[in-house]
Short mmCIF file of all heavy atoms in Angstrom, two decimals:
data_model
loop_
_atom_site.label_atom_id
_atom_site.label_comp_id
_atom_site.label_asym_id
_atom_site.label_seq_id
_atom_site.Cartn_x
_atom_site.Cartn_y
_atom_site.Cartn_z
N LYS A 41 -8.11 9.11 2.35
CA LYS A 41 -8.48 8.47 3.58
C LYS A 41 -8.87 9.48 4.66
O LYS A 41 -9.63 9.16 5.56
CB LYS A 41 -7.30 7.60 4.13
CG LYS A 41 -6.93 6.49 3.17
CD LYS A 41 -8.16 5.66 2.80
CE LYS A 41 -7.94 4.71 1.69
NZ LYS A 41 -9.12 4.20 1.07
N PHE A 47 -5.29 25.33 10.39
CA PHE A 47 -4.73 26.64 10.66
C PHE A 47 -3.21 26.47 10.52
O PHE A 47 -2.62 25.60 11.13
CB PHE A 47 -5.00 27.08 12.11
CG PHE A 47 -6.42 27.32 12.43
CD1 PHE A 47 -7.09 26.54 13.32
CD2 PHE A 47 -7.12 28.36 11.83
CE1 PHE A 47 -8.40 26.75 13.64
CE2 PHE A 47 -8.43 28.60 12.14
CZ PHE A 47 -9.09 27.80 13.05
N ALA A 54 -4.47 16.35 3.33
CA ALA A 54 -5.17 15.15 2.95
C ALA A 54 -4.21 13.99 3.03
O ALA A 54 -3.02 14.13 2.66
CB ALA A 54 -5.78 15.27 1.56
N ASP A 60 -0.57 0.93 -5.14
CA ASP A 60 0.85 1.11 -5.49
C ASP A 60 1.13 2.56 -5.79
O ASP A 60 0.21 3.39 -5.92
CB ASP A 60 1.26 0.19 -6.62
CG ASP A 60 0.49 0.43 -7.91
OD1 ASP A 60 0.42 1.59 -8.34
OD2 ASP A 60 -0.03 -0.53 -8.50
N ALA A 62 2.27 4.08 -8.49
CA ALA A 62 1.78 4.56 -9.76
C ALA A 62 0.31 5.00 -9.69
O ALA A 62 -0.06 6.04 -10.19
CB ALA A 62 1.97 3.50 -10.85
N ASN A 66 -1.27 8.77 -10.02
CA ASN A 66 -2.32 8.99 -10.97
C ASN A 66 -3.49 9.72 -10.27
O ASN A 66 -4.07 10.65 -10.82
CB ASN A 66 -2.78 7.68 -11.60
CG ASN A 66 -3.85 7.92 -12.64
OD1 ASN A 66 -3.59 8.62 -13.62
ND2 ASN A 66 -4.98 7.32 -12.45
N LEU A 68 -3.40 11.56 -7.65
CA LEU A 68 -2.96 12.91 -7.33
C LEU A 68 -3.05 13.83 -8.56
O LEU A 68 -3.58 14.93 -8.47
CB LEU A 68 -1.52 12.87 -6.77
CG LEU A 68 -0.91 14.19 -6.36
CD1 LEU A 68 -1.69 14.79 -5.20
CD2 LEU A 68 0.53 14.00 -6.01
N THR A 90 8.42 2.33 7.09
CA THR A 90 8.07 2.72 8.44
C THR A 90 6.76 2.12 8.91
O THR A 90 6.31 2.39 10.01
CB THR A 90 8.03 4.24 8.61
OG1 THR A 90 7.11 4.78 7.67
CG2 THR A 90 9.41 4.84 8.41
N LEU A 93 6.52 0.58 12.36
CA LEU A 93 6.30 1.40 13.56
C LEU A 93 4.84 1.78 13.78
O LEU A 93 4.51 2.31 14.83
CB LEU A 93 7.15 2.69 13.48
CG LEU A 93 8.63 2.52 13.69
CD1 LEU A 93 9.34 3.85 13.54
CD2 LEU A 93 8.93 1.88 15.04
N ASN A 100 -0.76 4.91 22.14
CA ASN A 100 -1.13 6.33 22.26
C ASN A 100 -2.53 6.56 21.70
O ASN A 100 -3.32 7.30 22.28
CB ASN A 100 -0.11 7.20 21.55
CG ASN A 100 1.21 7.27 22.24
OD1 ASN A 100 1.31 6.83 23.41
ND2 ASN A 100 2.20 7.81 21.58
N ILE A 133 6.01 9.42 22.77
CA ILE A 133 5.45 10.66 23.31
C ILE A 133 3.92 10.49 23.36
O ILE A 133 3.27 10.30 22.32
CB ILE A 133 5.82 11.87 22.44
CG1 ILE A 133 7.32 12.06 22.45
CG2 ILE A 133 5.11 13.11 22.90
CD1 ILE A 133 7.84 13.13 21.51
N PRO A 134 3.32 10.59 24.57
CA PRO A 134 1.86 10.51 24.71
C PRO A 134 1.20 11.57 23.84
O PRO A 134 1.65 12.75 23.82
CB PRO A 134 1.62 10.74 26.19
CG PRO A 134 2.87 10.35 26.86
CD PRO A 134 3.98 10.73 25.89
N VAL A 143 9.07 11.56 1.92
CA VAL A 143 10.00 12.05 0.96
C VAL A 143 9.35 13.27 0.30
O VAL A 143 8.21 13.23 -0.13
CB VAL A 143 10.28 10.99 -0.14
CG1 VAL A 143 11.19 11.56 -1.22
CG2 VAL A 143 10.84 9.72 0.48
N ASP A 173 18.25 16.21 16.80
CA ASP A 173 18.34 16.27 15.34
C ASP A 173 17.10 16.81 14.63
O ASP A 173 16.92 16.59 13.43
CB ASP A 173 18.69 14.89 14.75
CG ASP A 173 20.05 14.41 15.25
OD1 ASP A 173 20.98 15.28 15.32
OD2 ASP A 173 20.19 13.22 15.55
N VAL A 182 -5.70 21.19 13.14
CA VAL A 182 -6.85 20.74 12.38
C VAL A 182 -8.07 21.55 12.83
O VAL A 182 -8.32 21.74 14.00
CB VAL A 182 -7.11 19.22 12.63
CG1 VAL A 182 -8.43 18.78 12.06
CG2 VAL A 182 -5.96 18.43 12.03
N ILE A 187 -18.18 18.36 8.15
CA ILE A 187 -18.21 17.63 6.87
C ILE A 187 -17.86 16.19 7.13
O ILE A 187 -16.84 15.91 7.72
CB ILE A 187 -17.22 18.23 5.84
CG1 ILE A 187 -17.56 19.71 5.57
CG2 ILE A 187 -17.23 17.44 4.57
CD1 ILE A 187 -16.52 20.45 4.78
#
Side-chain angles (χ1 to χ4, degrees):
K41 299 306 170 199
F47 293 115
D60 61 50
N66 184 58
L68 181 64
T90 57
L93 286 178
N100 288 348
I133 298 174
V143 177
D173 299 321
V182 171
I187 300 170

